Amino acid sequence: MPTEEKAPKPRPFPRDLSVGEVAARSGVAVSALHFYERQGLIRSWRSQGNQRRYPREVLRRVAVIKIAQRTGIPLASIKQALAALPNERTPTADDWKRLSEEWREELNERIRKLTQLRDRLTGCIGCGCLSVRECPLRNPYDELGHEGPGARLLED
Amino acid sequence: MPTEEKAPKPRPFPRDLSVGEVAARSGVAVSALHFYERQGLIRSWRSQGNQRRYPREVLRRVAVIKIAQRTGIPLASIKQALAALPNERTPTADDWKRLSEEWREELNERIRKLTQLRDRLTGCIGCGCLSVRECPLRNPYDELGHEGPGARLLED
DNA sequence: GATTGACCTAAACTATTGTTGAGGTTGTAG
DNA sequence: CTACAACCTCAACAATAGTTTAGGTCAATC
């Protein structure tokens, strides 16, 4: 869990955001924002004093990153997906929509696998069916003797 | 993905299993079995030559470990759950059943969260609703001015 | 003009889940 | 008896996703 960041004292007319402000508003630690930037998931420009400044859009971008992570997508893939966004203009609703459709598919796939696993778990581990013949959790290798391919547990 | 282990040449009357045999039959790399043992998830005794020997039960134990991992349970928790199994007798179907019921609940919970996430994703990221008022993905902090709790993205 | 909070960089550290390699031993086959 | 596959230990390395620390700067306030 990211450390709870304190909101820095608000600047008078913050059209751009400091890293602390982004942290406070996005619920993501400053260190994580630095990290995302090193990894190329977000970008900033610098103030005269070499401090990071972000456009407000970064909030949505960070929100999207967090959401994608929840679906189980690794940062590297999120980066790739974000890279498909238009480079020199603010992403539109349609841009985000395309992203979300991709990710929804991945989510569905994960949900499907987990559901299948749950059903097998219910039917299998706990069923007491120690019989090799009936339990998909049992290693087929045991049945097949000493040849055949390596065992696969619940592979799909 | 674990390296595909070659099945060692089968020993004549293997009532116990060598580490290579367990690897071949469980589909788990020898190095992973060593690792599980270091972490206390499985146990072995040693032959005269200091080689690991496993009871056949270890196959089910390893299978269960792999299954639990798929549900997203970390090894440390799996270890705890397995520790609840009876120490000095072979686990019965009922023992496994209790385990599987616990894990099924966790799976259900994960499925529930992912499903909710998917629905919000569909309705939200891609919806174009950049209006603060209507989009749960938007940071409430933006609405509330400069006080109130830290932002929470899709917290539940 | 000193203090304080927010910020900077770079490197080291954390946790998880193993894999890889070096250097040495065991056990089975020919 | 020799070779070779499988085994042993211990240590280092890997990927992922950050956090922590040290040492220093910047900016606003008293």
Side-chain angles (χ1 to χ4, degrees):
Chain A
M1 190 181 293
T3 305
E4 195 71 24
E5 305 274 335
K6 266 221 185 52
K9 200 166 277 193
R11 291 175 299 147
F13 295 103
R15 38 178 10 106
D16 51 16
L17 299 169
S18 71
V19 71
E21 285 164 342
V22 174
R25 293 182 179 212
S26 68
V28 167
V30 167
S31 64
L33 293 170
H34 284 185
F35 179 72
Y36 293 159
E37 193 168 323
R38 278 204 301 288
Q39 302 303 304
L41 282 105
I42 58 178
R43 265 186 299 173
S44 62
W45 67 90
R46 299 303 177 106
S47 70
Q48 291 74 358
N50 192 35
Q51 297 194 352
R52 286 170 180 84
R53 290 298 178 261
Y54 299 93
R56 294 191 153 268
E57 270 156 56
V58 86
L59 291 177
R60 175 162 273 253
R61 206 174 166 95
V62 170
V64 168
I65 290 169
K66 299 310 281 178
I67 291 160
Q69 280 194 298
R70 292 199 173 201
T71 76
I73 298 172
L75 282 188
S77 309
I78 298 173
K79 177 184 171 175
Q80 286 207 309
L82 290 177
L85 289 176
N87 227 340
E88 288 314 328
R89 66 175 165 78
T90 299
T92 64
D94 246 42
D95 293 325
W96 293 121
K97 186 166 186 170
R98 268 192 298 280
L99 258 194
S100 77
E101 271 159 19
E102 255 182 69
W103 287 342
R104 193 181 50 222
E105 280 321 299
E106 297 200 37
L107 254 181
N108 272 329
E109 185 54 19
R110 273 164 57 69
I111 290 169
R112 196 187 62 70
K113 283 202 171 137
L114 284 181
T115 302
Q116 186 182 30
L117 178 57
R118 179 195 57 195
D119 295 343
R120 291 194 184 177
L121 185 65
T122 304
C124 250
I125 278 195
C127 73
C129 77
L130 298 169
S131 128
V132 167
R133 211 169 299 282
E134 329 215 328
C135 188
L137 289 180
R138 288 300 297 259
N139 185 340
Y141 199 89
D142 263 342
E143 289 189 272
L144 297 174
H146 297 291
E147 40 215 75
R152 289 284 167 231
L153 300 172
L154 276 185
E155 183 91 346
D156 18 307
Chain B
M1 190 182 294
T3 304
E4 194 71 23
E5 304 275 335
K6 266 221 185 54
K9 201 164 276 192
R11 291 174 299 146
F13 295 103
R15 37 178 9 105
D16 52 15
L17 299 170
S18 71
V19 70
E21 285 164 343
V22 174
R25 294 182 178 213
S26 69
V28 167
V30 168
S31 63
L33 293 171
H34 283 185
F35 179 72
Y36 293 158
E37 193 168 324
R38 276 203 303 289
Q39 302 304 304
L41 282 105
I42 58 178
R43 267 186 297 172
S44 61
W45 66 91
R46 298 304 177 106
S47 70
Q48 292 74 359
N50 192 36
Q51 297 194 352
R52 286 171 179 82
R53 291 297 179 261
Y54 298 94
R56 294 190 152 269
E57 270 156 56
V58 86
L59 291 176
R60 175 160 273 253
R61 206 174 166 95
V62 170
V64 168
I65 291 169
K66 299 310 281 180
I67 291 160
Q69 279 194 299
R70 292 201 172 200
T71 76
I73 299 172
L75 281 189
S77 309
I78 298 173
K79 176 183 171 174
Q80 287 206 309
L82 289 178
L85 289 177
N87 227 339
E88 289 314 326
R89 65 173 165 80
T90 299
T92 64
D94 246 42
D95 293 325
W96 294 122
K97 187 165 185 170
R98 267 192 298 280
L99 258 193
S100 78
E101 270 159 19
E102 255 183 70
W103 287 342
R104 193 181 49 223
E105 280 323 298
E106 297 200 35
L107 253 181
N108 271 331
E109 185 54 20
R110 273 164 56 70
I111 290 170
R112 196 187 62 70
K113 283 203 170 137
L114 284 180
T115 302
Q116 186 181 31
L117 178 57
R118 180 194 56 194
D119 295 343
R120 291 193 184 177
L121 184 65
T122 305
C124 250
I125 277 195
C127 75
C129 78
L130 298 169
S131 128
V132 167
R133 210 168 300 282
E134 329 215 329
C135 188
L137 289 180
R138 288 301 297 259
N139 185 340
Y141 199 91
D142 264 342
E143 288 189 271
L144 297 174
H146 297 290
E147 43 217 70
R152 288 285 167 229
L153 300 172
L154 277 185
E155 183 91 348
D156 19 307

